[in-house]
Amino acid sequence: METKQILDTIQMISEEKLDIRTITMGISLFDCIDSDGEKARQKIYDKLTTSAKDLVRVADQIESEYGIPIVNKRISVTPISMIAAACHDDNYVAYAQTMEKAAEVLGVDLIGGFSALVQKGYQSGDHKLIESLPEALSETKRVCGSVNVGSTCAGINMDAVKQMGQVVKELSEIDPVSCMSLVVFANAVEDNPFMAGAFHGVGEADKVINVGISGPGVVKRALEQVKGQPIDTVSETIKKTAFKVTRMGQFVGNVAAKALNVPFGIVDLSLAPTPSQGDSVAEILEEIGLQSVGAPGTTAALALLNDAVKKGGVMACEHVGGLSGAFIPVSEDSGMIKAVEHGNLNLEKLEAMTAVCSVGLDMVAVRGDTPAETISGMIADEAAIGVINNKTTAVRVIPAKGKKVGEQIDFGGIFGSAPVMPVNTNSPAKFVSRGGRIPAPIHSFKN
Amino acid sequence: MKAVITVIGHDQIGIVAKVSQRLATLKVNITDISQTLMHGDFTMMLMGEWDTDDVKFDVVKQGLLDLAKETGLSINIQRQELFDAIQKL
């Protein structure tokens, strides 16, 4: 092997912060269903602690032997609304506590799947799960919840949109920081390894290993070498870099799957930023030529980046899945935070950006007194972008209790801190309170 | 097992000797070696091979980390398959 290639790889890891963001083990809980809630939870605890008992050890071993940081070890489970529906419990908080206990014992960072899929309507378990969300997420540290409120095939469930605005608001009043554990989706995917939206889909195998990669710093460094060159060169450079990053994800996933004797699922080709300097998607866009993210041209630059990442990554691995694209969470990206603080990026531009990348309005802080209907309106807008464009979109919004526009809310560690952003104060209350369902979009006459 | 060992630090007398001596003690065979100056730092790369039935990866890694502490050099060891996966089609 050439010296240059070895140095190149080492530099990607040590200086450009290339890492595996997460190894996520998906575990089906269908064989834990029981009409007695206590028994079901015992079965869930036993299955989780048996299936994933080696997950952290294997990930740590890979990190040590290959020198690749593996930032998080996570678990996703079958949406609890389906598993708990057979029992007669009034609420499902105890299921979240069981997930928390298992995650704590296993030493995993996060566990996702306290979820419900209601894009077309509610079953009995969905009602109870959604009502349990504020208590369940505020009383646990590691549990993540998600609700899918729309899909391209089903349209948008506006009753769910309305309710989720209220749930987000209710959760924020107990503990605003817990809102980072709750995502409202349209077109949710079943093999997503990233939190807070990961759940183990019903069409998945009993157990599976999915890998989420990171690497904005590597892309930025590569683009620094092609300053001033045509956009075609930018695209090619991103593709080549994404290829290498994805190869690492594929490799680590294979090694982990083999060591754990679990099938390898997918690599999620996402550029996932962290708040550290040099690990920012916003800085990539600025390297492409924008004075600040949020400037006119941002949507185009992001579309180029997102597409090139996918093109480069698809060839590098056997199976691509999850959310795959560039993430633009505000709090987790130092460049995004800076742009918001300087007034260069507003919510409306952010919304436009979500139309061309994964995933949506992510880790966005708004004033604590933002009405529930306004949050529902934001959810409806994002869901519409996803449903019409046949892509996943999501809202992870944090009403920061007691904070004014411009003040910060801190989430800690890789989740960063977000400045409170102004929201349009005109009310969508009458629209939201209509309820019902926005019909599925037409799949022809695409203009 | 095959692993790539990288040694980076200020040039000093006996770096190669110290590293190869330690690897010999750890029963690691050096199959390839190269060195260069990168941004003014001495940079050496070695390909090491050993029998893991005899010496575990963690033992070799710890032995090299101890040497890094003694000498003030930055020493990394990574299994070789990673480099192939990232750099080769």
Side-chain angles (χ1 to χ4, degrees):
Chain A
M1 171 152 299
E2 283 181 33
T3 309
K4 191 185 166 306
Q5 291 180 330
I6 292 176
L7 286 175
D8 181 43
T9 308
I10 290 170
Q11 187 177 342
M12 280 163 72
I13 296 167
S14 64
E15 290 176 34
E16 294 158 13
K17 301 187 176 65
L18 176 61
D19 56 44
I20 298 290
R21 173 55 52 84
T22 176
I23 295 184
T24 304
M25 182 185 268
I27 302 171
S28 167
L29 297 182
F30 278 117
D31 48 7
C32 303
I33 291 174
D34 201 294
S35 56
D36 180 334
E38 284 286 339
K39 283 187 189 159
R41 289 189 288 277
Q42 188 58 48
K43 287 188 208 171
I44 290 171
Y45 181 81
D46 292 345
K47 181 157 188 189
L48 292 177
T49 49
T50 321
S51 307
K53 70 178 192 317
D54 293 326
L55 178 62
V56 171
R57 184 185 60 76
V58 164
D60 289 346
Q61 189 72 19
I62 292 171
E63 182 166 322
S64 170
E65 291 188 5
Y66 296 97
I68 309 164
I70 296 170
V71 181
N72 267 200
K73 280 72 76 174
R74 301 173 176 174
I75 291 174
S76 64
V77 298
T78 314
I80 292 294
S81 69
M82 299 178 188
I83 305 305
C87 78
H88 306 295
D89 297 8
D90 290 334
N91 78 59
Y92 296 161
V93 174
Y95 283 86
Q97 285 161 342
T98 302
M99 290 163 74
E100 174 84 4
K101 199 170 120 199
E104 198 180 336
V105 166
L106 292 165
V108 298
D109 301 281
L110 296 167
I111 179 163
F114 197 77
S115 306
L117 311 177
V118 294
Q119 59 270 28
K120 211 164 179 183
Y122 289 74
Q123 47 100 346
S124 61
D126 297 329
H127 280 294
K128 291 182 190 169
L129 183 122
I130 294 174
E131 283 161 14
S132 308
L133 276 166
E135 195 183 341
L137 298 182
S138 60
E139 286 188 1
T140 53
K141 283 194 192 115
R142 295 175 171 84
V143 176
C144 294
S146 56
V147 175
N148 192 56
V149 298
S151 77
T152 301
C153 291
I156 303 171
N157 182 343
M158 288 301 289
D159 293 323
V161 167
K162 179 183 174 190
Q163 189 180 9
M164 287 315 296
Q166 294 160 350
V167 167
V168 169
K169 184 80 190 185
E170 202 182 319
L171 178 57
S172 76
E173 276 162 11
I174 306 170
D175 175 21
V177 172
S178 294
C179 290
M180 74 175 180
S181 307
L182 176 60
V183 184
V184 187
F185 270 121
N187 287 327
V189 290
E190 301 202 327
D191 53 4
N192 165 24
F194 286 104
M195 297 292 175
F199 62 85
H200 186 69
V202 295
E204 296 283 318
D206 189 55
K207 291 190 272 290
V208 69
I209 287 289
N210 295 323
V211 169
I213 54 174
S214 177
V218 187
V219 176
K220 177 168 185 288
R221 185 68 71 97
L223 290 177
E224 285 169 5
Q225 312 302 318
V226 295
K227 281 188 194 297
Q229 296 191 34
I231 285 294
D232 316 60
T233 311
V234 171
S235 170
E236 279 301 298
T237 306
I238 298 169
K239 276 161 66 179
K240 284 178 189 159
T241 313
F243 179 87
K244 289 182 188 173
V245 174
T246 310
R247 290 291 273 194
M248 190 186 71
Q250 163 84 19
F251 174 74
V252 168
N254 266 327
V255 174
K258 203 172 156 201
L260 291 162
N261 198 22
V262 167
F264 180 37
I266 56 95
V267 177
D268 190 320
L269 304 177
S270 290
L271 288 183
T274 66
S276 337
Q277 205 70 35
D279 204 19
S280 154
V281 170
E283 284 175 14
I284 298 176
L285 300 176
E286 289 165 10
E287 185 59 42
I288 293 176
L290 304 167
Q291 188 180 359
S292 165
V293 64
T298 299
T299 312
L302 181 59
L304 156 83
L305 169 66
N306 202 51
D307 186 57
V309 166
K310 286 180 200 167
K311 284 173 178 162
V314 160
M315 191 184 157
C317 75
E318 289 162 5
H319 299 286
V320 176
L323 301 168
S324 285
F327 289 169
I328 50 168
V330 174
S331 77
E332 297 169 20
D333 187 314
S334 58
M336 299 286 285
I337 295 170
K338 197 174 77 186
V340 172
E341 283 173 346
H342 292 182
N344 296 331
L345 176 63
N346 58 29
L347 215 46
E348 285 72 18
K349 187 62 180 175
L350 200 56
E351 183 181 315
M353 290 163 73
T354 67
V356 297
C357 80
S358 61
V359 135
L361 293 178
D362 194 16
M363 296 298 277
V364 171
V366 297
R367 283 169 57 131
D369 59 2
T370 307
E373 296 83 5
T374 300
I375 295 167
S376 294
M378 291 163 74
I379 294 170
D381 283 344
E382 272 305 311
I385 289 172
V387 165
I388 298 293
N389 294 306
N390 214 350
K391 74 182 283 294
T392 307
T393 47
V395 173
R396 184 160 52 151
V397 64
I398 292 100
K401 194 166 86 173
K403 306 259 184 193
K404 296 191 197 79
V405 169
E407 290 183 337
Q408 295 275 339
I409 176 166
D410 192 21
F411 303 103
I414 60 169
F415 303 106
S417 63
V420 174
M421 296 175 79
V423 183
N424 188 316
T425 51
N426 291 290
S427 175
K430 285 183 185 164
F431 166 63
V432 170
S433 66
R434 283 174 183 267
R437 185 152 56 91
I438 296 180
I442 193 160
H443 290 279
S444 187
F445 316 114
K446 293 260 183 194
N447 282 310
Chain B
M1 180 179 290
K2 283 185 181 173
V4 173
I5 299 150
T6 45
V7 182
I8 302 173
H10 286 299
D11 203 1
Q12 52 183 271
I13 293 168
I15 294 187
V16 181
K18 283 176 194 163
V19 176
S20 51
Q21 174 64 40
R22 182 61 55 102
L23 288 173
T25 315
L26 294 164
K27 296 185 182 171
V28 177
N29 183 33
I30 299 170
T31 58
D32 198 357
I33 181 165
S34 74
Q35 61 187 66
T36 178
L37 280 176
M38 191 177 65
H39 312 305
D41 277 336
F42 172 85
T43 306
M44 176 166 70
M45 266 161 286
L46 302 113
M47 184 74 82
E49 197 173 355
W50 74 96
D51 186 349
T52 42
D53 288 342
D54 230 9
V55 189
K56 297 276 175 245
F57 180 90
D58 293 342
V59 174
V60 175
K61 185 171 179 173
Q62 194 52 52
L64 291 171
L65 289 179
D66 291 344
L67 179 65
K69 227 177 200 173
E70 290 160 25
T71 56
L73 295 163
S74 158
I75 305 181
N76 275 303
I77 176 164
Q78 289 160 284
R79 287 177 65 169
Q80 182 243 340
E81 299 99 307
L82 171 76
F83 299 91
D84 288 343
I86 293 180
Q87 300 289 353
K88 288 186 180 168
L89 253 186

